[in-house]
């Protein structure tokens, strides 16, 4: 069984931000992601860049500046999927361990430590850590601990990319859908131009995300008997700020000043 | 009854009480990618079976959809998938979509498959993985499924089909598995795939990114982060006016763990036109594993891809029915990339057409097995053939053949030449590959080749030496030595890729013939940079710069010396010392796509393994 100082469930942007901060401080950190991409929400929730708020944290400002320098935040104020390689750079330099295509089968607590039973690529694994942070938008980690918040509704969406032509600007757009299982039907409507509301007629779809986006709960306890919940965030800056603030809280609670 | 799992330290089975089944099916198909979605469509749509399909992602179609590999490469056409492709193409033809410049978009393919599966009555479980396999002795009875909400269910079936690509279900069920080659990198390289917007429209960029064992979760995570962290991943395309649209939600893994089957597809059988059993379908591909470390490939693959340079020869060959049947098991079939093949065979058996065919064939095998109440290996073959002939998946009278690139860019069939005059013309040209391979099987022409060794015509002299080496004839030794000292950087141009300079071919073939008398020369190439510092570089896909050349000289000299030192412990000790010193002081890199992989650790591991094997072999030899 591998031991870590902190385990984050889901490689959302806030989880990556927190994991990298702790990793840079020398802690052994594990990120568990069911897909293969970090920040799987990137194609959608950051499209409303004009609504972005001023970052609260210096680390968030630095990260955003890096994204701008690399054209990851484009001239149209969009965040392109290249945020994935940019985050992987951060994870690599911070020495964060990542498990992709990994699912949690069960979580238990013993003597102040969390024991996670995982399956990844068909292999059963066990990891343990004194810190477990649930960053899933649907509180999967907390539910597996038997500590699910009372309110568990989520907003789900399908994200897609449009353009006015091969040389035209690229837009990242979202379409609300009722649930993950029916997401493909929304995609079919997009394909057949029957989606409502329709997107501007001169735009053509040139890509649809491979998975349904889930926006996090707006009400979520910060801490649930030892299990830390990543606060909900709806913009890039909010998400990165949330990760940094969560990491700081973990440092202070577990290790004092690092 | 046993519940079987794959743990970090390997397979485990525990006696367990039969679970309360949440569902009972004729077939459970695990992995609804290229092979699996087709298998499910066929089993339910063509044969009317009840089918449960389990998919890890929220998208069907595997590499053709989530993997963004939207075009076809090589492949033997024919099968039910072509009709689904037509429907997907029709969906994409609408005005609302910017067409994919390289084929059918992943989502069009997914939607067409989704409709097909729904019409066929397949029950779908997205966002779900298997965590255990239920079996009684060697008979697989069902699986445990974990869904996205963290809930587990148990499902029983008359057949389970492993379409995971990496043999996840087969390994979990306790089938015998094989892990490829015992050399530098055990598997073929993987790709990180992204979609960009170009002037032609949407296009995918399929970039070789590194090597990974797709069955080791920790390594998978490490390699994914390392390969994605390369700035090349986005800067090149994004900043040069090709906006990045998406990054594929599947890595392009070319090779992983495979089953040990009732029969096995072997490269040697392909080349000798041997049929290891009745065919399930035919495959059409060139032999390309994307790996530039040819020094560590099998001797047969080295002969084909390096010495003869036959990357551009395309082979059509049968895939035996038994390659889909895990040896000694009942109630389970394996389709897709994890079918039984050796490492060399696996580099050809991975194209989309064949993956679809394997899914259709597996469905038909399971159907006949269930209808006739016989194991899959005993189905009436004529009925199987007739079923697959209806869709074109396996045509009556289909046979093996080989093709090469013609002058017009088309691929044309050819025969291996035997006429000495024609062979002389071919060997005198800069494209000798076909002649070299033909001569490999014509030892009666050795005297002629020995005569040509004295020719003033360099290509004829060199190519005759290569041909003799391929025959195992050491008379070519002086010319091989001459080749190793050739600093011109020239290489035969039989194929567009994998053109090895004559100097490297000389080293490779000295090793092949185990010419112990040339060991001092090879040792000098391991000890110091030597000709790798001064030889002319003629950039091609194998050698683009000095670093690549240094790697090729060093790796080939080291691999050749290890062959030579099989019979000499003294030489073995000298090779070890020289290699360790060089690896200590000098970094080596292997080019792969846009990236350069540091390989000193891998070279060391390879050396240690090779030494251990040889020492064990020597210890067992009678004095």
């Amino acid at each position: 069984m591998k031991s870590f100082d902190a385990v984050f469930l889901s490689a959302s942007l806030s989880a990556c931000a927190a994991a990298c901060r702790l990793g840079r401080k020398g802690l052994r950190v594990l990120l568990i992601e069911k897909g293969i991409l970090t920040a799987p929400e990137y194609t959608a929730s950051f499209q409303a860049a004009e609504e972005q708020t001023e970052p609260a944290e210096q680390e968030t400002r630095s990260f955003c500046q890096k994204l701008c320098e690399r054209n990851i935040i484009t001239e149209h104020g969009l965040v392109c999927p290249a945020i994935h390689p940019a985050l992987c750079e951060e994870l690599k330099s911070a020495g964060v361990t990542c498990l992709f295509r990994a699912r949690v089968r069960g979580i238990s607590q013993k003597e102040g430590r969390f024991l996670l039973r995982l399956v990844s690529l068909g292999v059963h694994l066990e990891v343990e850590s004194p810190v477990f942070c649930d960053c899933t938008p649907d509180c999967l980690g907390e539910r597996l601990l038997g500590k699910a918040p009372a309110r568990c509704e989520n907003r789900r969406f399908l994200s897609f990319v449009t353009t006015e032509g091969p040389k035209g600007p690229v837009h990242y757009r979202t379409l609300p859908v009722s649930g993950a299982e029916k997401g493909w039907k929304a995609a079919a409507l997009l394909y057949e131009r029957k989606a409502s509301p329709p997107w501007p007629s001169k735009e053509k779809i040139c890509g649809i995300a491979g998975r349904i986006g889930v926006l996090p709960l707006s009400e979520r306890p910060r801490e649930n008997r030892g299990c830390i919940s990543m606060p909900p965030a709806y913009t890039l800056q909010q998400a990165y700020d949330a990760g940094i603030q969560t990491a700081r809280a973990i440092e202070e609670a577990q290790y004092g000043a690092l | 009854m046993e519940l079987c799992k794959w743990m970090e330290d390997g397979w485990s089975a525990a006696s367990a009480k039969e679970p309360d089944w949440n569902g009972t099916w004729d077939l459970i198909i695990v992995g609804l990618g290229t092979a699996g979605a087709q298998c499910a469509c066929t089993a339910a749509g063509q044969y009317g079976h009840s089918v449960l399909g389990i998919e890890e992602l929220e998208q069907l179609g595997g590499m053709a959809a989530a993997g963004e590999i939207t075009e076809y490469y090589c492949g033997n056409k024919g099968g039910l998938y072509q009709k689904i492709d037509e429907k997907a193409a029709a969906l994409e033809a609408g005005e609302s979509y910017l067409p994919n410049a390289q084929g059918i978009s992943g989502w069009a393919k997914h939607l067409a498959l989704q409709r097909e599966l729904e019409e066929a009555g397949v029950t779908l479980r997205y966002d779900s993985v298997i965590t255990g396999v239920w079996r009684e002795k060697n008979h697989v009875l069902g699986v445990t499924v974990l869904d996205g909400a963290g809930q587990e269910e148990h499902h029983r079936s008359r057949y389970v089909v492993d379409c995971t690509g990496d043999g996840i279900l087969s390994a979990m069920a306790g089938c015998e598995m094989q892990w490829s080659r015992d050399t530098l990198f055990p598997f073929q390289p993987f790709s990180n795939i992204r979609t960009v917007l170009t002037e032609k429209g949407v296009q995918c960029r399929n970039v070789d990114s590194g090597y990974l064992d797709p069955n080791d979760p920790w390594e998978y995570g490490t390699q994914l982060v390392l390969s994605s962290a390369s700035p090349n991943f986005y800067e090149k395309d994004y900043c040069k006016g090709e906006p990045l649209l998406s990054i594929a939600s599947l890595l392009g893994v070319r090779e992983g763990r495979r089953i040990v089957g009732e029969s096995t597809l072997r490269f040697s059988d392909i080349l000798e036109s041997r049929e290891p059993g009745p065919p399930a379908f035919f495959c059409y591909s060139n032999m390309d594993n994307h790996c530039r470390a040819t020094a560590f490939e099998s001797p047969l693959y080295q002969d084909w891809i390096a010495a003869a340079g036959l990357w551009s020869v395309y082979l059509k060959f049968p895939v035996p029915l038994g390659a889909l049947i895990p040896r000694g098991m009942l109630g389970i079939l394996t389709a897709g990339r994890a079918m039984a093949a050796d490492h060399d065979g696996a580099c050809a058996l991975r194209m989309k057409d064949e993956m679809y065919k394997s899914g259709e064939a597996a469905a038909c095998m399971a159907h006949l097995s269930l209808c006739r109440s016989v194991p899959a290996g005993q189905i009436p073959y004529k009925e199987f053939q007739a079923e697959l002939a209806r869709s074109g998946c396996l045509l009556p009278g289909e046979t093996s053949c080989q093709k090469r690139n013609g002058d017009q860019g088309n691929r044309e069939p050819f025969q291996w030449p035997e006429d000495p005059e024609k062979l002389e013309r071919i060997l005198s040209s800069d494209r000798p590959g076909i002649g070299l391979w033909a001569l490999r099987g014509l030892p009666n022409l050795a005297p002629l080749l020995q005569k040509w060794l004295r020719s003033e015509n360099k290509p004829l002299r060199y190519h005759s030496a290569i041909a003799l080496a391929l025959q195992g004839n050491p008379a070519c030794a002086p010319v091989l030595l001459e080749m190793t000292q050739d600093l011109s950087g020239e290489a035969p141009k039989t194929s567009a890729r994998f053109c090895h300079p004559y100097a490297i071919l000389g080293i490779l073939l000295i090793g092949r013939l185990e010419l112990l008398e040339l060991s001092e020369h090879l040792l000098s190439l391991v000890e110091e940079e030597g000709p790798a510092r001064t030889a002319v570089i003629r950039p091609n896909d194998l050698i683009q710069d000095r670093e690549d050349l240094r790697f090729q000289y060093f790796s080939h000299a080291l691999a050749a010396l290890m062959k030579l030192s099989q019979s000499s412990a003294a030489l073995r000790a000298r090779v070890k010392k020289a290699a360790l010193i060089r690896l200590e002081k000098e970094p080596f890199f292997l080019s792969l796509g846009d990236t350069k992989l540091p390989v000193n650790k891998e070279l060391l591991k390879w050396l240690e393994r090779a030494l251990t094997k040889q020492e064990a072999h020597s210890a067992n030899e009678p004095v």
Side-chain angles (χ1 to χ4, degrees):
Chain A
M1 188 195 314
K2 283 189 164 58
S3 292
F4 294 90
D5 298 316
V7 173
F8 292 83
L9 183 57
S10 156
S12 63
L13 179 61
S14 43
C16 290
C20 287
R21 180 180 162 109
L22 295 176
R24 276 192 286 267
K25 303 250 171 169
L27 299 188
R28 295 165 304 161
V29 185
L30 173 67
L31 270 186
I32 301 167
E33 165 59 39
K34 73 172 179 177
I36 69 159
L37 297 172
T38 56
E41 72 273 47
Y42 62 75
T43 49
S45 51
F46 302 146
Q47 44 84 34
E50 60 273 21
E51 296 165 17
Q52 299 292 350
T53 48
E54 187 59 28
E57 300 289 337
Q58 174 54 38
E59 280 149 290
T60 308
R61 277 194 287 276
S62 304
F63 182 70
C64 289
Q65 192 183 342
K66 199 185 278 183
L67 297 185
C68 287
E69 283 165 7
R70 294 179 176 189
N71 288 335
I72 292 168
I73 296 180
T74 71
E75 58 189 297
H76 307 289
L78 308 169
V79 175
C80 85
I83 195 169
H84 168 63
L87 282 169
C88 284
E89 252 182 59
E90 301 275 308
L91 293 166
K92 179 186 160 191
S93 67
V96 174
T97 303
C98 295
L99 274 178
F100 294 100
R101 292 176 61 185
R103 308 295 178 113
V104 186
R105 293 181 61 231
I107 309 172
S108 55
Q109 277 176 287
K110 194 178 177 188
E111 294 165 3
R113 298 185 80 81
F114 290 88
L115 176 69
L116 283 85
R117 289 180 292 119
L118 311 171
V119 63
S120 174
L121 306 171
V123 183
H124 287 256
L125 310 164
E126 286 188 343
V127 297
E128 61 134 27
S129 171
V131 176
F132 171 62
C133 183
D134 184 7
C135 310
T136 60
D138 53 358
C139 308
L140 175 63
E142 289 160 80
R143 281 190 281 120
L144 287 172
L145 267 168
K147 295 168 182 171
R151 185 170 168 274
C152 237
E153 290 167 19
N154 289 288
R155 281 186 285 156
R156 293 174 193 275
F157 58 86
L158 185 69
S159 60
F160 55 101
V161 194
T162 67
T163 183
E164 290 165 31
K167 288 189 165 180
V170 173
H171 305 278
Y172 297 88
R173 299 192 177 280
T174 59
L175 185 74
V177 296
S178 58
E181 297 74 20
K182 303 294 178 192
W184 69 270
K185 283 188 175 161
L189 294 177
L190 281 177
Y191 247 86
E192 290 159 353
R193 218 173 174 76
K194 291 174 186 164
S196 178
W199 63 91
S201 60
K202 59 183 176 181
E203 290 178 28
K204 282 175 180 278
I205 298 175
C206 51
I208 302 178
R211 75 191 229 194
I212 305 297
V214 183
L215 286 175
L217 293 166
S218 54
E219 290 167 25
R220 195 168 180 178
R222 175 91 191 174
E223 191 271 336
N224 199 340
R225 279 176 286 174
C227 167
I228 297 160
S229 303
M230 187 61 78
Y234 302 96
T235 68
L236 184 151
Q237 285 89 341
Q238 279 178 7
Y240 211 89
D241 276 348
I244 297 300
Q245 286 156 11
T246 300
R248 191 179 294 125
I250 292 170
E251 287 163 31
E252 285 166 6
Q254 295 285 322
Y255 304 101
L258 283 172
Chain B
M1 195 172 272
E2 288 177 315
L3 176 59
C4 310
K5 294 177 181 175
W6 192 269
M7 313 303 286
E8 264 197 284
D9 54 358
W11 183 69
S12 83
S15 294
K17 201 178 124 220
E18 185 167 354
D20 293 330
W21 299 105
N22 297 85
T24 301
W25 314 85
D26 290 334
L27 274 85
I28 293 177
I29 295 161
V30 183
L32 297 174
T34 323
Q38 188 57 54
C39 186
C41 282
T42 310
Q46 300 291 308
Y47 303 126
H49 291 295
S50 62
V51 175
L52 172 66
I54 298 164
E55 171 53 45
E56 184 177 1
L57 305 177
E58 289 171 346
Q59 193 172 4
L60 301 168
M63 288 310 294
E68 306 279 8
I69 301 296
T70 53
E71 63 187 336
Y72 284 93
Y73 181 70
C74 296
N76 179 29
K77 301 282 171 229
L80 290 169
Y81 69 94
Q82 290 182 302
K83 286 195 175 144
I84 301 173
D85 275 359
E86 283 170 18
K87 291 177 185 175
L91 253 178
E92 185 157 52
E95 278 180 36
S96 62
Y97 209 86
L98 196 69
N100 188 299
Q102 298 165 309
I104 303 164
S105 292
W107 262 96
K109 182 79 190 186
H110 161 77
L111 292 172
L113 281 170
Q114 171 75 45
R115 287 179 175 172
E116 205 72 14
L117 288 172
E118 203 164 62
E119 281 167 20
V122 174
T123 300
L124 287 174
R125 287 292 168 85
Y126 284 121
D127 199 14
S128 299
V129 297
I130 54 159
T131 58
V133 174
W134 295 87
R135 67 176 217 181
E136 223 158 30
K137 294 184 179 165
N138 63 341
H139 196 148
V140 176
L141 299 172
V143 295
T144 299
V145 185
L146 176 68
D147 68 16
Q151 302 294 317
E152 278 189 334
E153 287 187 355
H154 310 292
H155 290 267
R156 183 170 180 139
S157 69
R158 297 166 76 194
Y159 254 103
V160 294
V161 187
D162 182 353
C163 298
T164 58
D166 297 317
I168 288 173
L169 168 67
S170 308
M172 217 181 258
C175 303
E176 277 180 86
M177 305 301 290
Q178 47 181 322
W179 266 264
S180 213
R181 59 182 159 177
D182 180 28
T183 55
L184 194 67
F185 297 104
F187 301 108
Q188 301 171 42
F190 71 93
S191 289
N192 248 320
I193 302 140
R194 69 260 199 186
T195 305
V196 295
L197 188 61
T198 71
E199 287 195 19
K200 289 180 187 168
V202 178
Q203 288 195 312
C204 80
R205 296 273 186 269
N206 182 14
V207 181
D208 287 348
S209 304
Y211 295 81
L212 59 80
D213 175 352
N215 306 110
D216 179 342
W218 303 105
E219 189 191 330
Y220 192 94
T222 304
Q223 293 302 328
L224 179 56
V225 168
L226 288 180
S227 65
S228 301
S230 162
N232 289 336
F233 197 84
Y234 50 93
E235 281 175 354
K236 277 194 176 169
D237 293 323
Y238 199 82
C239 299
K240 286 186 181 170
E242 289 190 346
L244 182 63
L245 298 177
S246 62
I247 293 169
S249 43
L250 268 181
L251 290 183
V253 175
R254 294 197 177 83
E255 185 188 15
R257 179 173 56 183
R258 298 181 297 280
I259 60 163
V260 173
E262 294 285 353
S263 323
T264 299
L265 177 75
R266 294 180 206 285
F267 186 34
S268 53
D269 289 338
I270 296 171
L271 292 178
E272 302 294 331
S273 297
R274 284 191 298 261
E275 287 196 1
F281 54 89
F282 275 71
C283 179
Y284 174 70
S285 175
N286 63 343
M287 305 302 295
D288 184 3
N289 68 20
H290 289 237
C291 177
R292 268 71 180 164
T294 46
F296 307 105
E297 296 293 350
S298 74
L300 186 60
Y301 190 80
Q302 286 177 333
D303 282 1
W304 179 264
I305 211 82
L310 294 179
W311 178 86
S312 61
V313 167
Y314 296 81
L315 301 162
K316 185 176 172 189
F317 55 86
V319 177
L321 199 78
L324 285 77
I325 307 171
R327 189 161 70 186
M329 299 292 287
L330 294 170
I332 181 169
L333 292 170
T334 304
R337 227 172 358 90
M339 288 179 286
D342 65 8
H343 165 69
D344 298 335
C347 80
L349 186 57
R350 59 183 173 83
M351 303 306 169
K352 276 164 48 180
D353 297 272
E354 281 79 26
M355 298 301 98
Y356 289 127
K357 280 173 184 273
S358 73
E360 185 178 338
C364 183
M365 287 165 74
H367 165 67
L368 291 174
S369 169
L370 292 174
C371 290
R372 302 283 174 263
S373 299
V374 291
Q378 293 170 21
I379 56 170
Y381 184 68
K382 281 193 176 161
E383 269 187 66
F384 172 80
Q385 253 182 329
E387 283 291 336
L388 294 199
R390 285 195 301 162
S391 68
C393 183
L394 175 65
L395 295 172
E398 211 165 356
T399 54
S400 303
C401 71
Q402 65 271 338
K403 292 184 181 182
R404 65 177 169 183
N405 286 334
D407 295 333
Q408 310 299 318
N410 56 331
R411 289 183 192 144
E412 50 197 33
F414 69 95
Q415 297 296 318
W416 301 106
E418 293 183 5
D419 171 51
E421 276 182 35
K422 190 173 183 187
L423 285 164
E424 184 179 2
R425 275 200 307 276
I426 294 173
L427 294 201
S428 301
S429 75
D430 62 358
R431 296 175 66 185
I434 301 292
L436 290 171
W437 196 260
L439 282 159
R440 188 177 181 268
L442 298 171
N444 59 315
L445 295 184
L448 206 51
L449 290 169
Q450 288 184 41
K451 186 180 130 197
W452 292 339
L453 282 180
R454 296 187 293 275
S455 169
E456 288 296 312
N457 176 338
K458 184 167 121 174
L460 181 60
R461 187 169 72 250
Y462 278 10
H463 299 154
S464 299
I466 297 171
L468 281 166
L470 290 175
Q471 290 180 356
N473 187 330
C476 57
V479 178
L480 292 184
L481 179 62
E482 180 192 348
M483 285 165 64
T484 65
Q485 293 162 337
D486 187 329
L487 300 178
S488 69
E490 288 170 355
K493 294 175 185 156
T494 302
S495 297
R497 290 193 179 169
F498 286 93
C499 296
H500 288 61
Y502 288 113
I504 303 299
L505 290 179
I507 299 168
L508 170 74
L509 295 171
I510 288 171
R512 188 191 195 280
L513 293 174
E514 297 183 28
L515 299 171
L516 204 56
E517 67 272 24
L518 297 180
S519 59
E520 289 302 322
H521 176 63
L522 295 191
L523 207 51
S524 71
L525 299 175
V526 168
E527 284 166 348
E528 52 198 48
E529 197 174 358
R533 188 169 47 229
T534 49
V536 175
I537 291 167
R538 298 173 190 268
N540 61 22
D541 76 306
L542 185 79
I543 295 169
Q544 289 165 19
D545 54 30
R546 189 73 52 198
E547 264 179 359
D548 290 344
L549 190 64
R550 279 194 322 108
F551 172 76
Q552 293 298 341
Y553 264 99
F554 179 76
S555 61
H556 276 281
L558 182 62
L561 276 167
M562 288 310 293
K563 286 181 186 158
L564 268 57
S565 65
Q566 285 178 98
S567 53
S568 166
L571 178 60
R572 199 153 58 232
R574 291 180 67 202
V575 174
K576 180 181 176 183
K577 188 179 170 195
L580 290 179
I581 291 172
R582 185 92 185 271
L583 285 168
E584 176 74 23
K585 67 177 182 191
E586 208 174 316
F588 288 92
F589 297 92
L590 174 62
S591 282
L592 195 63
D594 286 347
T595 52
K596 293 240 178 221
L597 298 174
V599 288
N600 284 47
K601 271 188 197 165
E602 282 72 19
L603 287 165
L604 268 173
K605 257 193 261 173
W606 177 84
L607 179 64
E608 277 166 22
R609 234 178 1 233
L611 286 166
T612 309
K613 206 186 268 183
Q614 285 196 6
E615 276 152 19
H617 184 71
S618 308
N620 290 333
E621 271 185 1
V623 178

